[in-house]
Amino acid sequence: AQSVSQHNHHVILSEAASLELGCNYSYGGTVNLFWYVQYPGQHLQLLLKYFSGDPLVKGIKGFEAEFIKSKFSFNLRKPSVQWSDTAEYFCAVIPGGTSYGKLTFGQGTILTVHP
Amino acid sequence: NAGVMQNPRHLVRRRGQEARLRCSPMKGHSHVYWYRQLPEEGLKFMVYLQKENIIDESGMPKERFSAEFPKEGPSILRIQQVVRGDSAAYFCASSYQETQYFGPGTRLLVL
């Protein structure tokens, strides 16, 4: 069964620090990849997605992610975090070639940014 | 265009009661998904529905849980005879194409 691993459960940073959150998936075929963010008390919001094309994708709020097929990875990055980035971040996968279907989520990474 | 709506936002039930969770997809979306988030865990897929059809229910517990998405009205996730282990956040998502958009969730607490 396919799975998604997020290596860090809790990351603590100071404002202006750089961020990289790891995400690896286990699925041999084509995949569609997503990062969602859940701010405290709010619902999941889409940060960015990758379906095909340029493996470096840019999302909202200055986030970007790089798809590295050989490493089965889709790490999330931001050069300079802000206090308002404090949230939980989820990586998710859906098999490519299908337009619809269930998302498989990682366990989530809680990011705490100190001012 | 309103987002995915879920109600109630919070629901308290005693053991043995029934819980009904509602989800209204975004306008124009005909695909609905339900996910459950247990404490300290990520979201787990439960069921995927289109209008009047269950497409994939591989994540649904075998007993007490059911879901529907009728031709008219919201999608309903129904939990019969709730137990404390059902306490969780239940999220609904809808999609038109590949991207799923999530509602605010219903937080179910079973006493």
Side-chain angles (χ1 to χ4, degrees), chain A residues 38-72:
Chain A
Q38 186 175 26
Y39 296 103
Q42 296 187 27
H43 60 281
L44 271 77
Q45 300 174 38
L46 181 67
L47 264 182
L48 47 77
K49 59 187 178 184
Y50 172 80
F51 293 160
S52 64
D54 188 344
L56 184 63
V57 292
K58 295 192 183 299
I60 61 171
K61 305 187 180 185
F63 287 90
E64 64 179 30
E66 184 176 13
F67 170 55
I68 303 179
K69 187 175 181 179
S70 60
K71 295 185 177 179
F72 298 88

PDB file of all heavy atoms in Angstrom, chain A residues 38-72:
ATOM      1  N   GLN A  38      -2.562  23.629   7.748  1.00  0.00           N
ATOM      2  CA  GLN A  38      -3.696  23.779   8.657  1.00  0.00           C
ATOM      3  C   GLN A  38      -3.277  24.747   9.758  1.00  0.00           C
ATOM      4  O   GLN A  38      -2.506  24.382  10.664  1.00  0.00           O
ATOM      5  CB  GLN A  38      -4.103  22.429   9.235  1.00  0.00           C
ATOM      6  CG  GLN A  38      -5.369  22.460  10.072  1.00  0.00           C
ATOM      7  CD  GLN A  38      -5.813  21.076  10.527  1.00  0.00           C
ATOM      8  OE1 GLN A  38      -5.008  20.156  10.662  1.00  0.00           O
ATOM      9  NE2 GLN A  38      -7.093  20.899  10.766  1.00  0.00           N
ATOM     10  N   TYR A  39      -3.755  25.974   9.670  1.00  0.00           N
ATOM     11  CA  TYR A  39      -3.470  26.960  10.713  1.00  0.00           C
ATOM     12  C   TYR A  39      -4.314  26.633  11.946  1.00  0.00           C
ATOM     13  O   TYR A  39      -5.366  25.996  11.822  1.00  0.00           O
ATOM     14  CB  TYR A  39      -3.747  28.366  10.210  1.00  0.00           C
ATOM     15  CG  TYR A  39      -2.848  28.761   9.075  1.00  0.00           C
ATOM     16  CD1 TYR A  39      -3.319  28.760   7.763  1.00  0.00           C
ATOM     17  CD2 TYR A  39      -1.522  29.105   9.298  1.00  0.00           C
ATOM     18  CE1 TYR A  39      -2.484  29.095   6.707  1.00  0.00           C
ATOM     19  CE2 TYR A  39      -0.684  29.438   8.246  1.00  0.00           C
ATOM     20  CZ  TYR A  39      -1.168  29.424   6.956  1.00  0.00           C
ATOM     21  OH  TYR A  39      -0.336  29.737   5.926  1.00  0.00           O
ATOM     22  N   PRO A  40      -3.881  27.045  13.100  1.00  0.00           N
ATOM     23  CA  PRO A  40      -4.611  26.702  14.329  1.00  0.00           C
ATOM     24  C   PRO A  40      -6.089  27.051  14.246  1.00  0.00           C
ATOM     25  O   PRO A  40      -6.452  28.183  13.930  1.00  0.00           O
ATOM     26  CB  PRO A  40      -3.891  27.543  15.390  1.00  0.00           C
ATOM     27  CG  PRO A  40      -2.498  27.714  14.865  1.00  0.00           C
ATOM     28  CD  PRO A  40      -2.656  27.819  13.387  1.00  0.00           C
ATOM     29  N   GLY A  41      -6.918  26.072  14.471  1.00  0.00           N
ATOM     30  CA  GLY A  41      -8.357  26.280  14.478  1.00  0.00           C
ATOM     31  C   GLY A  41      -8.992  26.423  13.113  1.00  0.00           C
ATOM     32  O   GLY A  41     -10.187  26.725  13.007  1.00  0.00           O
ATOM     33  N   GLN A  42      -8.215  26.207  12.069  1.00  0.00           N
ATOM     34  CA  GLN A  42      -8.766  26.381  10.728  1.00  0.00           C
ATOM     35  C   GLN A  42      -8.714  25.074   9.947  1.00  0.00           C
ATOM     36  O   GLN A  42      -8.161  24.087  10.396  1.00  0.00           O
ATOM     37  CB  GLN A  42      -7.994  27.467   9.979  1.00  0.00           C
ATOM     38  CG  GLN A  42      -8.116  28.850  10.610  1.00  0.00           C
ATOM     39  CD  GLN A  42      -7.493  29.925   9.748  1.00  0.00           C
ATOM     40  OE1 GLN A  42      -7.419  29.787   8.521  1.00  0.00           O
ATOM     41  NE2 GLN A  42      -7.055  31.006  10.360  1.00  0.00           N
ATOM     42  N   HIS A  43      -9.322  25.105   8.751  1.00  0.00           N
ATOM     43  CA  HIS A  43      -9.343  23.898   7.941  1.00  0.00           C
ATOM     44  C   HIS A  43      -8.110  23.834   7.054  1.00  0.00           C
ATOM     45  O   HIS A  43      -7.339  24.799   6.973  1.00  0.00           O
ATOM     46  CB  HIS A  43     -10.614  23.861   7.098  1.00  0.00           C
ATOM     47  CG  HIS A  43     -10.752  25.012   6.152  1.00  0.00           C
ATOM     48  ND1 HIS A  43     -11.172  26.263   6.563  1.00  0.00           N
ATOM     49  CD2 HIS A  43     -10.541  25.104   4.821  1.00  0.00           C
ATOM     50  CE1 HIS A  43     -11.206  27.065   5.528  1.00  0.00           C
ATOM     51  NE2 HIS A  43     -10.823  26.391   4.456  1.00  0.00           N
ATOM     52  N   LEU A  44      -7.934  22.719   6.406  1.00  0.00           N
ATOM     53  CA  LEU A  44      -6.794  22.539   5.513  1.00  0.00           C
ATOM     54  C   LEU A  44      -6.918  23.452   4.303  1.00  0.00           C
ATOM     55  O   LEU A  44      -7.982  23.570   3.687  1.00  0.00           O
ATOM     56  CB  LEU A  44      -6.722  21.094   5.019  1.00  0.00           C
ATOM     57  CG  LEU A  44      -5.916  20.141   5.878  1.00  0.00           C
ATOM     58  CD1 LEU A  44      -6.717  19.749   7.094  1.00  0.00           C
ATOM     59  CD2 LEU A  44      -5.536  18.898   5.096  1.00  0.00           C
ATOM     60  N   GLN A  45      -5.791  24.053   3.959  1.00  0.00           N
ATOM     61  CA  GLN A  45      -5.733  24.890   2.770  1.00  0.00           C
ATOM     62  C   GLN A  45      -4.616  24.379   1.880  1.00  0.00           C
ATOM     63  O   GLN A  45      -3.569  23.952   2.370  1.00  0.00           O
ATOM     64  CB  GLN A  45      -5.431  26.347   3.145  1.00  0.00           C
ATOM     65  CG  GLN A  45      -6.456  26.975   4.054  1.00  0.00           C
ATOM     66  CD  GLN A  45      -6.037  28.352   4.512  1.00  0.00           C
ATOM     67  OE1 GLN A  45      -5.457  29.115   3.749  1.00  0.00           O
ATOM     68  NE2 GLN A  45      -6.333  28.690   5.756  1.00  0.00           N
ATOM     69  N   LEU A  46      -4.835  24.441   0.598  1.00  0.00           N
ATOM     70  CA  LEU A  46      -3.838  23.986  -0.351  1.00  0.00           C
ATOM     71  C   LEU A  46      -2.714  25.010  -0.447  1.00  0.00           C
ATOM     72  O   LEU A  46      -2.961  26.193  -0.692  1.00  0.00           O
ATOM     73  CB  LEU A  46      -4.480  23.784  -1.723  1.00  0.00           C
ATOM     74  CG  LEU A  46      -3.561  23.288  -2.820  1.00  0.00           C
ATOM     75  CD1 LEU A  46      -3.106  21.857  -2.532  1.00  0.00           C
ATOM     76  CD2 LEU A  46      -4.275  23.349  -4.181  1.00  0.00           C
ATOM     77  N   LEU A  47      -1.481  24.558  -0.248  1.00  0.00           N
ATOM     78  CA  LEU A  47      -0.312  25.421  -0.402  1.00  0.00           C
ATOM     79  C   LEU A  47       0.211  25.371  -1.830  1.00  0.00           C
ATOM     80  O   LEU A  47       0.512  26.398  -2.420  1.00  0.00           O
ATOM     81  CB  LEU A  47       0.818  24.947   0.531  1.00  0.00           C
ATOM     82  CG  LEU A  47       0.992  25.600   1.892  1.00  0.00           C
ATOM     83  CD1 LEU A  47       2.203  24.986   2.579  1.00  0.00           C
ATOM     84  CD2 LEU A  47       1.122  27.103   1.792  1.00  0.00           C
ATOM     85  N   LEU A  48       0.380  24.156  -2.315  1.00  0.00           N
ATOM     86  CA  LEU A  48       0.873  23.971  -3.677  1.00  0.00           C
ATOM     87  C   LEU A  48       0.643  22.526  -4.109  1.00  0.00           C
ATOM     88  O   LEU A  48       0.322  21.672  -3.288  1.00  0.00           O
ATOM     89  CB  LEU A  48       2.361  24.330  -3.784  1.00  0.00           C
ATOM     90  CG  LEU A  48       3.338  23.800  -2.746  1.00  0.00           C
ATOM     91  CD1 LEU A  48       3.680  22.341  -2.986  1.00  0.00           C
ATOM     92  CD2 LEU A  48       4.614  24.634  -2.705  1.00  0.00           C
ATOM     93  N   LYS A  49       0.824  22.304  -5.412  1.00  0.00           N
ATOM     94  CA  LYS A  49       0.602  20.975  -5.960  1.00  0.00           C
ATOM     95  C   LYS A  49       1.534  20.740  -7.146  1.00  0.00           C
ATOM     96  O   LYS A  49       1.965  21.692  -7.807  1.00  0.00           O
ATOM     97  CB  LYS A  49      -0.850  20.815  -6.402  1.00  0.00           C
ATOM     98  CG  LYS A  49      -1.282  21.827  -7.456  1.00  0.00           C
ATOM     99  CD  LYS A  49      -2.775  21.738  -7.724  1.00  0.00           C
ATOM    100  CE  LYS A  49      -3.207  22.790  -8.749  1.00  0.00           C
ATOM    101  NZ  LYS A  49      -4.681  22.806  -8.967  1.00  0.00           N
ATOM    102  N   TYR A  50       1.814  19.466  -7.375  1.00  0.00           N
ATOM    103  CA  TYR A  50       2.602  19.083  -8.535  1.00  0.00           C
ATOM    104  C   TYR A  50       1.896  17.957  -9.253  1.00  0.00           C
ATOM    105  O   TYR A  50       1.590  16.916  -8.653  1.00  0.00           O
ATOM    106  CB  TYR A  50       4.004  18.628  -8.121  1.00  0.00           C
ATOM    107  CG  TYR A  50       4.775  18.052  -9.289  1.00  0.00           C
ATOM    108  CD1 TYR A  50       5.384  18.890 -10.212  1.00  0.00           C
ATOM    109  CD2 TYR A  50       4.854  16.671  -9.485  1.00  0.00           C
ATOM    110  CE1 TYR A  50       6.059  18.368 -11.299  1.00  0.00           C
ATOM    111  CE2 TYR A  50       5.525  16.155 -10.569  1.00  0.00           C
ATOM    112  CZ  TYR A  50       6.127  17.008 -11.472  1.00  0.00           C
ATOM    113  OH  TYR A  50       6.794  16.478 -12.554  1.00  0.00           O
ATOM    114  N   PHE A  51       1.670  18.158 -10.560  1.00  0.00           N
ATOM    115  CA  PHE A  51       1.104  17.101 -11.384  1.00  0.00           C
ATOM    116  C   PHE A  51       2.117  16.636 -12.426  1.00  0.00           C
ATOM    117  O   PHE A  51       2.306  15.439 -12.632  1.00  0.00           O
ATOM    118  CB  PHE A  51      -0.174  17.573 -12.084  1.00  0.00           C
ATOM    119  CG  PHE A  51      -1.317  17.850 -11.140  1.00  0.00           C
ATOM    120  CD1 PHE A  51      -2.374  18.653 -11.530  1.00  0.00           C
ATOM    121  CD2 PHE A  51      -1.346  17.309  -9.862  1.00  0.00           C
ATOM    122  CE1 PHE A  51      -3.427  18.911 -10.666  1.00  0.00           C
ATOM    123  CE2 PHE A  51      -2.396  17.554  -8.994  1.00  0.00           C
ATOM    124  CZ  PHE A  51      -3.442  18.366  -9.399  1.00  0.00           C
ATOM    125  N   SER A  52       2.760  17.595 -13.097  1.00  0.00           N
ATOM    126  CA  SER A  52       3.740  17.271 -14.126  1.00  0.00           C
ATOM    127  C   SER A  52       4.489  18.550 -14.471  1.00  0.00           C
ATOM    128  O   SER A  52       4.170  19.624 -13.992  1.00  0.00           O
ATOM    129  CB  SER A  52       3.072  16.686 -15.364  1.00  0.00           C
ATOM    130  OG  SER A  52       2.224  17.646 -15.969  1.00  0.00           O
ATOM    131  N   GLY A  53       5.524  18.402 -15.316  1.00  0.00           N
ATOM    132  CA  GLY A  53       6.254  19.575 -15.774  1.00  0.00           C
ATOM    133  C   GLY A  53       7.402  19.943 -14.854  1.00  0.00           C
ATOM    134  O   GLY A  53       8.065  19.067 -14.294  1.00  0.00           O
ATOM    135  N   ASP A  54       7.639  21.212 -14.714  1.00  0.00           N
ATOM    136  CA  ASP A  54       8.753  21.726 -13.913  1.00  0.00           C
ATOM    137  C   ASP A  54       8.670  21.148 -12.507  1.00  0.00           C
ATOM    138  O   ASP A  54       7.673  21.350 -11.803  1.00  0.00           O
ATOM    139  CB  ASP A  54       8.692  23.247 -13.863  1.00  0.00           C
ATOM    140  CG  ASP A  54       9.925  23.867 -13.201  1.00  0.00           C
ATOM    141  OD1 ASP A  54      10.680  23.137 -12.511  1.00  0.00           O
ATOM    142  OD2 ASP A  54      10.123  25.074 -13.371  1.00  0.00           O
ATOM    143  N   PRO A  55       9.720  20.424 -12.055  1.00  0.00           N
ATOM    144  CA  PRO A  55       9.651  19.799 -10.741  1.00  0.00           C
ATOM    145  C   PRO A  55       9.723  20.781  -9.577  1.00  0.00           C
ATOM    146  O   PRO A  55       9.487  20.401  -8.429  1.00  0.00           O
ATOM    147  CB  PRO A  55      10.859  18.863 -10.727  1.00  0.00           C
ATOM    148  CG  PRO A  55      11.799  19.438 -11.713  1.00  0.00           C
ATOM    149  CD  PRO A  55      10.947  20.075 -12.771  1.00  0.00           C
ATOM    150  N   LEU A  56      10.074  22.010  -9.865  1.00  0.00           N
ATOM    151  CA  LEU A  56      10.086  23.031  -8.812  1.00  0.00           C
ATOM    152  C   LEU A  56       8.795  23.827  -8.926  1.00  0.00           C
ATOM    153  O   LEU A  56       8.578  24.525  -9.908  1.00  0.00           O
ATOM    154  CB  LEU A  56      11.304  23.934  -8.967  1.00  0.00           C
ATOM    155  CG  LEU A  56      11.496  24.986  -7.872  1.00  0.00           C
ATOM    156  CD1 LEU A  56      11.726  24.310  -6.520  1.00  0.00           C
ATOM    157  CD2 LEU A  56      12.667  25.910  -8.190  1.00  0.00           C
ATOM    158  N   VAL A  57       7.953  23.669  -7.923  1.00  0.00           N
ATOM    159  CA  VAL A  57       6.657  24.343  -7.984  1.00  0.00           C
ATOM    160  C   VAL A  57       6.580  25.413  -6.908  1.00  0.00           C
ATOM    161  O   VAL A  57       7.094  25.248  -5.799  1.00  0.00           O
ATOM    162  CB  VAL A  57       5.492  23.349  -7.816  1.00  0.00           C
ATOM    163  CG1 VAL A  57       5.398  22.435  -8.994  1.00  0.00           C
ATOM    164  CG2 VAL A  57       5.622  22.557  -6.533  1.00  0.00           C
ATOM    165  N   LYS A  58       5.944  26.499  -7.264  1.00  0.00           N
ATOM    166  CA  LYS A  58       5.782  27.604  -6.316  1.00  0.00           C
ATOM    167  C   LYS A  58       4.321  27.672  -5.887  1.00  0.00           C
ATOM    168  O   LYS A  58       3.411  27.495  -6.705  1.00  0.00           O
ATOM    169  CB  LYS A  58       6.220  28.911  -6.953  1.00  0.00           C
ATOM    170  CG  LYS A  58       7.712  28.918  -7.281  1.00  0.00           C
ATOM    171  CD  LYS A  58       8.209  30.290  -7.640  1.00  0.00           C
ATOM    172  CE  LYS A  58       9.681  30.267  -8.035  1.00  0.00           C
ATOM    173  NZ  LYS A  58      10.537  29.794  -6.919  1.00  0.00           N
ATOM    174  N   GLY A  59       4.155  27.923  -4.588  1.00  0.00           N
ATOM    175  CA  GLY A  59       2.817  28.008  -4.057  1.00  0.00           C
ATOM    176  C   GLY A  59       2.532  29.374  -3.465  1.00  0.00           C
ATOM    177  O   GLY A  59       3.220  30.346  -3.758  1.00  0.00           O
ATOM    178  N   ILE A  60       1.546  29.383  -2.594  1.00  0.00           N
ATOM    179  CA  ILE A  60       1.167  30.642  -1.977  1.00  0.00           C
ATOM    180  C   ILE A  60       2.100  30.963  -0.829  1.00  0.00           C
ATOM    181  O   ILE A  60       2.815  30.087  -0.316  1.00  0.00           O
ATOM    182  CB  ILE A  60      -0.292  30.596  -1.481  1.00  0.00           C
ATOM    183  CG1 ILE A  60      -0.470  29.488  -0.426  1.00  0.00           C
ATOM    184  CG2 ILE A  60      -1.249  30.395  -2.644  1.00  0.00           C
ATOM    185  CD1 ILE A  60      -1.816  29.503   0.271  1.00  0.00           C
ATOM    186  N   LYS A  61       2.116  32.227  -0.421  1.00  0.00           N
ATOM    187  CA  LYS A  61       2.823  32.700   0.773  1.00  0.00           C
ATOM    188  C   LYS A  61       4.320  32.420   0.736  1.00  0.00           C
ATOM    189  O   LYS A  61       4.947  32.246   1.780  1.00  0.00           O
ATOM    190  CB  LYS A  61       2.197  32.096   2.033  1.00  0.00           C
ATOM    191  CG  LYS A  61       0.709  32.364   2.139  1.00  0.00           C
ATOM    192  CD  LYS A  61       0.110  31.939   3.444  1.00  0.00           C
ATOM    193  CE  LYS A  61      -1.388  32.251   3.459  1.00  0.00           C
ATOM    194  NZ  LYS A  61      -2.026  31.965   4.750  1.00  0.00           N
ATOM    195  N   GLY A  62       4.901  32.351  -0.443  1.00  0.00           N
ATOM    196  CA  GLY A  62       6.343  32.213  -0.572  1.00  0.00           C
ATOM    197  C   GLY A  62       6.871  30.795  -0.446  1.00  0.00           C
ATOM    198  O   GLY A  62       8.071  30.572  -0.427  1.00  0.00           O
ATOM    199  N   PHE A  63       5.983  29.817  -0.362  1.00  0.00           N
ATOM    200  CA  PHE A  63       6.410  28.424  -0.280  1.00  0.00           C
ATOM    201  C   PHE A  63       6.713  27.853  -1.662  1.00  0.00           C
ATOM    202  O   PHE A  63       6.121  28.269  -2.655  1.00  0.00           O
ATOM    203  CB  PHE A  63       5.327  27.569   0.392  1.00  0.00           C
ATOM    204  CG  PHE A  63       5.219  27.793   1.866  1.00  0.00           C
ATOM    205  CD1 PHE A  63       4.359  28.761   2.383  1.00  0.00           C
ATOM    206  CD2 PHE A  63       5.974  27.033   2.754  1.00  0.00           C
ATOM    207  CE1 PHE A  63       4.263  28.971   3.754  1.00  0.00           C
ATOM    208  CE2 PHE A  63       5.879  27.238   4.123  1.00  0.00           C
ATOM    209  CZ  PHE A  63       5.024  28.208   4.623  1.00  0.00           C
ATOM    210  N   GLU A  64       7.617  26.909  -1.690  1.00  0.00           N
ATOM    211  CA  GLU A  64       7.911  26.166  -2.894  1.00  0.00           C
ATOM    212  C   GLU A  64       8.239  24.729  -2.517  1.00  0.00           C
ATOM    213  O   GLU A  64       8.534  24.435  -1.344  1.00  0.00           O
ATOM    214  CB  GLU A  64       9.077  26.784  -3.676  1.00  0.00           C
ATOM    215  CG  GLU A  64      10.402  26.755  -2.951  1.00  0.00           C
ATOM    216  CD  GLU A  64      11.535  27.348  -3.776  1.00  0.00           C
ATOM    217  OE1 GLU A  64      11.286  28.253  -4.599  1.00  0.00           O
ATOM    218  OE2 GLU A  64      12.674  26.902  -3.582  1.00  0.00           O
ATOM    219  N   ALA A  65       8.160  23.849  -3.489  1.00  0.00           N
ATOM    220  CA  ALA A  65       8.494  22.448  -3.241  1.00  0.00           C
ATOM    221  C   ALA A  65       9.166  21.894  -4.474  1.00  0.00           C
ATOM    222  O   ALA A  65       8.889  22.315  -5.598  1.00  0.00           O
ATOM    223  CB  ALA A  65       7.254  21.637  -2.901  1.00  0.00           C
ATOM    224  N   GLU A  66      10.047  20.938  -4.246  1.00  0.00           N
ATOM    225  CA  GLU A  66      10.764  20.316  -5.347  1.00  0.00           C
ATOM    226  C   GLU A  66      10.463  18.831  -5.384  1.00  0.00           C
ATOM    227  O   GLU A  66      10.655  18.124  -4.383  1.00  0.00           O
ATOM    228  CB  GLU A  66      12.271  20.537  -5.224  1.00  0.00           C
ATOM    229  CG  GLU A  66      13.052  19.990  -6.422  1.00  0.00           C
ATOM    230  CD  GLU A  66      14.524  20.305  -6.350  1.00  0.00           C
ATOM    231  OE1 GLU A  66      15.005  20.721  -5.278  1.00  0.00           O
ATOM    232  OE2 GLU A  66      15.208  20.101  -7.380  1.00  0.00           O
ATOM    233  N   PHE A  67      10.048  18.376  -6.554  1.00  0.00           N
ATOM    234  CA  PHE A  67       9.788  16.960  -6.771  1.00  0.00           C
ATOM    235  C   PHE A  67      11.064  16.318  -7.296  1.00  0.00           C
ATOM    236  O   PHE A  67      11.587  16.725  -8.340  1.00  0.00           O
ATOM    237  CB  PHE A  67       8.649  16.799  -7.776  1.00  0.00           C
ATOM    238  CG  PHE A  67       8.442  15.396  -8.275  1.00  0.00           C
ATOM    239  CD1 PHE A  67       8.247  14.348  -7.389  1.00  0.00           C
ATOM    240  CD2 PHE A  67       8.432  15.121  -9.635  1.00  0.00           C
ATOM    241  CE1 PHE A  67       8.044  13.057  -7.842  1.00  0.00           C
ATOM    242  CE2 PHE A  67       8.222  13.828 -10.098  1.00  0.00           C
ATOM    243  CZ  PHE A  67       8.041  12.795  -9.201  1.00  0.00           C
ATOM    244  N   ILE A  68      11.579  15.351  -6.578  1.00  0.00           N
ATOM    245  CA  ILE A  68      12.750  14.594  -7.019  1.00  0.00           C
ATOM    246  C   ILE A  68      12.311  13.144  -7.184  1.00  0.00           C
ATOM    247  O   ILE A  68      12.182  12.399  -6.194  1.00  0.00           O
ATOM    248  CB  ILE A  68      13.935  14.713  -6.041  1.00  0.00           C
ATOM    249  CG1 ILE A  68      14.306  16.186  -5.841  1.00  0.00           C
ATOM    250  CG2 ILE A  68      15.141  13.927  -6.565  1.00  0.00           C
ATOM    251  CD1 ILE A  68      15.446  16.419  -4.876  1.00  0.00           C
ATOM    252  N   LYS A  69      12.086  12.769  -8.430  1.00  0.00           N
ATOM    253  CA  LYS A  69      11.499  11.464  -8.705  1.00  0.00           C
ATOM    254  C   LYS A  69      12.392  10.326  -8.224  1.00  0.00           C
ATOM    255  O   LYS A  69      11.902   9.332  -7.679  1.00  0.00           O
ATOM    256  CB  LYS A  69      11.228  11.327 -10.205  1.00  0.00           C
ATOM    257  CG  LYS A  69      10.460  10.089 -10.598  1.00  0.00           C
ATOM    258  CD  LYS A  69      10.134  10.108 -12.088  1.00  0.00           C
ATOM    259  CE  LYS A  69       9.330   8.871 -12.469  1.00  0.00           C
ATOM    260  NZ  LYS A  69       8.978   8.883 -13.916  1.00  0.00           N
ATOM    261  N   SER A  70      13.693  10.476  -8.411  1.00  0.00           N
ATOM    262  CA  SER A  70      14.622   9.398  -8.055  1.00  0.00           C
ATOM    263  C   SER A  70      14.666   9.156  -6.551  1.00  0.00           C
ATOM    264  O   SER A  70      15.037   8.069  -6.101  1.00  0.00           O
ATOM    265  CB  SER A  70      16.028   9.726  -8.552  1.00  0.00           C
ATOM    266  OG  SER A  70      16.489  10.929  -7.962  1.00  0.00           O
ATOM    267  N   LYS A  71      14.300  10.162  -5.801  1.00  0.00           N
ATOM    268  CA  LYS A  71      14.314  10.034  -4.341  1.00  0.00           C
ATOM    269  C   LYS A  71      12.904   9.872  -3.772  1.00  0.00           C
ATOM    270  O   LYS A  71      12.738   9.800  -2.548  1.00  0.00           O
ATOM    271  CB  LYS A  71      14.975  11.268  -3.707  1.00  0.00           C
ATOM    272  CG  LYS A  71      16.456  11.419  -4.042  1.00  0.00           C
ATOM    273  CD  LYS A  71      17.067  12.591  -3.281  1.00  0.00           C
ATOM    274  CE  LYS A  71      18.563  12.692  -3.570  1.00  0.00           C
ATOM    275  NZ  LYS A  71      19.178  13.844  -2.845  1.00  0.00           N
ATOM    276  N   PHE A  72      11.916   9.842  -4.615  1.00  0.00           N
ATOM    277  CA  PHE A  72      10.527   9.757  -4.172  1.00  0.00           C
ATOM    278  C   PHE A  72      10.240  10.835  -3.122  1.00  0.00           C
ATOM    279  O   PHE A  72       9.617  10.580  -2.096  1.00  0.00           O
ATOM    280  CB  PHE A  72      10.228   8.361  -3.587  1.00  0.00           C
ATOM    281  CG  PHE A  72      10.391   7.247  -4.584  1.00  0.00           C
ATOM    282  CD1 PHE A  72      11.625   6.633  -4.763  1.00  0.00           C
ATOM    283  CD2 PHE A  72       9.320   6.820  -5.360  1.00  0.00           C
ATOM    284  CE1 PHE A  72      11.784   5.612  -5.712  1.00  0.00           C
ATOM    285  CE2 PHE A  72       9.468   5.802  -6.292  1.00  0.00           C
ATOM    286  CZ  PHE A  72      10.705   5.202  -6.470  1.00  0.00           C
TER     287      PHE A  72
END
